[in-house]
Amino acid sequence: MEYGDFHELPDLALRSLGGSVLYANDEAFAQRENLITPGPAQFDRSLFGPKGKVYDGWETRRRREAGHDEVIVRLGAPGIVRGVVVDTAWFTGNYPPEASVEGLCVDGHPAVDELLATDNWVPLLARSPLKGDAANEFPVDSGQRCTHVRLRIYPDGGVARLRVHGRALPDPRQLDAVGVFDLAALEHGGVALDCSNRFYSSPNNLLLPGPIRSMGEGWETARRRDDGNDWAQVGLTGEAQVRVAELDTSYFLHNAPGWASLRGRTGGGDWFELLGRTPLRPDTRHRFLIADAAPADEVRLDIYPDGGMARLRLLGALTPAGRAELGRRWSEAQPDR
């Protein structure tokens, strides 16, 4: 599926997805880790610390020599980057005038020294002008899988958040070793393709790793005032047979859906039933066996009539066709050795 709006794709660098800021050449005023914190940057005009104004972002000292500042981020889920956001929220007189972003694909868990020494970085965003106190948004045209990104700012200054939007592309060799896995998980290449309503939050929250810690970390729709129902459509890792579905309403006490159902389809064809309309309980992890289901590469979750869900897990295994397609995409996304 082609995406006209990269913002609808998950942030692969997000801390809650497993991202980490491995290196910064300077963080004199504000820590590098703030760059990948979920949610918008916060600001308290009256808050000062021993090093000056406290910012919810990454800020370097004023340069007195030529050069630039940089950070390296390990993506929580390696994949194909479709867009980046260099957010300078609250940085008004101290934001960098320009920035660039590069990507790297490496196996394993390289040390910082190895990342700094390699010449295999590829451009994702050429050196581009930034605005202060703004979400500077840039589409990315690249087919290479990235495990790390490097943000460079020219010459110095502060950035509140770095968002790296894309779709994860997992290593098929690792999935082969596991066999049965969560086909909808963001880290395995699952993604929310569409939904009826995202008033409170994105349906991609359904696919994040781990349990939620509050209602705000799930997917919640506005209250319906008609006879319809809300739904979310999820693209799976590849064509697969779903065997177990987990519908989690944890932390949704008075606004969980009353019922839910699941349907699947392959190649954009007709929908078929995976799980009929079933009652749900508030604040509960529901597990359902899916018996003898046909293969699917997309699943639609319908909730009745509206409400909030914490997580959607779809456990199963790729079909031979699904494995072959994932292998093809994996091969085409590797850097030129």
Side-chain angles (χ1 to χ4, degrees):
M1 177 176 179
E2 294 297 324
Y3 294 88
D5 185 357
F6 69 79
H7 304 85
E8 304 302 330
L9 290 168
D11 178 3
L12 301 178
L14 205 61
R15 180 63 182 173
S16 54
L17 190 57
S20 178
V21 186
L22 302 179
Y23 166 80
N25 71 302
D26 186 285
E27 49 184 335
F29 287 114
Q31 293 75 23
R32 66 196 191 210
E33 286 82 6
N34 293 331
L35 282 172
I36 58 172
T37 300
Q42 305 300 309
F43 187 71
D44 183 343
R45 296 183 183 277
S46 64
L47 188 59
F48 286 81
K51 295 182 178 180
K53 184 72 191 74
V54 174
Y55 279 95
D56 181 12
W58 167 57
E59 186 183 6
T60 67
R61 72 192 72 203
R62 300 187 187 218
R63 278 189 164 268
R64 302 308 185 197
E65 68 285 325
H68 60 265
D69 293 325
E70 65 182 33
V71 292
I72 295 176
V73 176
R74 185 191 66 229
L75 299 180
I80 308 296
V81 179
R82 297 302 185 196
V84 297
V85 181
V86 184
D87 188 351
T88 57
W90 305 111
F91 289 99
T92 54
N94 51 349
Y95 66 93
E98 297 175 304
S100 65
V101 180
E102 299 165 295
L104 177 69
C105 182
V106 291
D107 293 330
H109 309 88
V112 170
D113 288 347
E114 298 175 78
L115 298 173
L116 293 174
T118 183
D119 294 325
N120 293 328
W121 295 93
V122 297
L124 299 178
L125 170 67
R127 185 167 172 170
S128 302
L130 300 180
K131 295 180 180 179
D133 194 22
N136 298 274
E137 304 170 343
F138 305 96
V140 171
D141 183 14
S142 173
Q144 178 175 304
R145 180 178 185 263
C146 292
T147 58
H148 298 72
V149 295
R150 179 167 64 187
L151 167 67
R152 285 179 165 171
I153 57 174
Y154 306 89
D156 54 40
V159 175
R161 297 287 189 267
L162 174 66
R163 303 304 187 201
V164 184
H165 294 277
R167 184 168 183 178
L169 181 56
D171 186 336
R173 298 167 297 181
Q174 295 178 355
L175 298 184
D176 289 343
V178 174
V180 174
F181 59 93
D182 183 0
L183 300 156
L186 292 179
E187 58 191 322
H188 295 151
V191 67
L193 300 173
D194 200 0
C195 72
S196 60
N197 186 281
R198 59 183 77 237
F199 185 84
Y200 288 108
S201 49
S202 167
N204 277 312
N205 289 355
L206 291 169
L207 315 180
L208 284 166
I212 68 171
R213 296 165 296 177
S214 73
M215 193 175 68
E217 295 183 357
W219 170 55
E220 184 180 4
T221 70
R223 300 190 186 207
R224 293 192 77 94
R225 305 304 186 190
D226 55 29
D227 296 329
N229 72 280
D230 288 319
W231 52 269
Q233 186 176 328
V234 176
L236 307 182
T237 307
E239 183 187 90
Q241 188 168 28
V242 179
R243 299 176 183 175
V244 175
E246 181 179 298
L247 279 60
D248 187 355
T249 60
S250 294
Y251 285 91
F252 289 93
L253 300 176
H254 307 292
N255 52 352
W259 304 264
S261 65
L262 293 170
R263 289 181 286 171
R265 70 177 182 181
T266 301
D270 295 333
W271 293 101
F272 55 85
E273 183 176 282
L274 294 172
L275 177 68
R277 182 164 168 163
T278 303
L280 298 183
R281 304 293 179 226
D283 197 23
T284 301
R285 292 174 63 188
H286 309 77
R287 280 204 164 193
F288 304 99
L289 292 175
I290 309 296
D292 302 323
D297 58 19
E298 295 180 17
V299 168
R300 172 169 161 148
L301 166 69
D302 281 88
I303 59 173
Y304 305 91
D306 54 31
M309 297 284 298
R311 294 288 188 261
L312 172 66
R313 308 296 189 205
L314 299 170
L315 306 179
L318 293 172
T319 64
R323 173 60 178 84
E325 173 63 16
L326 177 61
R328 181 194 64 79
R329 290 192 288 120
W330 163 266
S331 179
E332 291 179 353
Q334 295 305 298
D336 185 1
R337 303 291 186 182

